[in-house]
Amino acid sequence: MKDLRGSASGVTAAPVDECVRFFLAVDRYPAWYPEVVRTVEVRERDAEGEPVRARAVLHVTAGPIVKDFDLVLAVALADPRTVELTRVPNHSGDDERFDVTWRLEEGARTTIRLEVEASLSVPRFLPVGGIGDGMATGFVVAAIRALDA
């Protein structure tokens, strides 16, 4: 297992409520960040139609190393301005972890903060230094580009 952590932030002209809806719509992630989010299939929705469980394939590159992660994620609105995506274990004893937290702060412009924390089974020789921050930055830049379009 290798631990991966990263964070990034940025601002958008989009109102905070629009940002919350944007980040909850996990099935649309491939449209605005196809370089990393290859596919998302919503497996379960709540009574209001919001995704609560989804299967996602994330494409991660580190120099010459390329790896696709096939994950089942729980999707939750932790509070009115925090969207959490949390990997659901495949079986008991599965200790891999992948957590994504979008935090939104309302102001003249909406501040987006993203935190990524993971513990994943990857080859020992795979360098993970900087991957977390790079992944977080890529997500934030792509999200702002889509929100401001």
Side-chain angles (χ1 to χ4, degrees):
M1 291 289 189
K2 289 211 175 183
D3 290 332
L4 177 110
R5 292 186 191 334
S7 62
S9 64
V11 294
T12 178
V16 73
D17 292 341
E18 181 182 330
C19 293
V20 169
R21 288 190 303 275
F22 181 83
F23 292 121
L24 281 173
V26 293
D27 49 336
R28 295 189 189 131
Y29 282 37
W32 56 265
Y33 199 26
E35 300 87 357
V36 171
V37 185
R38 296 304 171 122
T39 62
V40 176
E41 172 194 346
V42 174
R43 297 225 168 140
E44 184 181 339
R45 294 184 183 271
D46 65 14
E48 290 80 37
E50 296 294 341
V52 294
R53 191 166 301 237
R55 181 184 159 269
V57 176
L58 303 181
H59 182 76
V60 178
T61 60
I65 308 298
V66 177
K67 181 152 174 75
D68 286 342
F69 293 94
D70 191 346
L71 309 167
V72 174
L73 299 168
V75 181
L77 186 59
D79 65 47
R81 295 190 177 116
T82 303
V83 175
E84 294 179 341
L85 310 176
T86 306
R87 181 182 177 275
V88 176
N90 293 327
H91 53 78
S92 75
D94 177 355
D95 55 356
E96 284 190 331
R97 192 172 48 80
F98 187 82
D99 301 320
V100 173
T101 305
W102 295 100
R103 297 183 198 285
L104 306 164
E105 297 171 16
E106 193 168 22
R109 295 173 48 94
T110 301
T111 300
I112 299 170
R113 298 190 192 288
L114 175 62
E115 297 166 7
V116 177
E117 290 189 32
S119 182
L120 299 168
S121 178
V122 296
R124 282 188 310 213
F125 62 86
L126 181 68
V128 296
I131 292 176
D133 285 333
M135 179 183 282
T137 298
F139 268 100
V140 170
V141 168
I144 290 170
R145 184 174 48 237
L147 284 161
D148 287 347

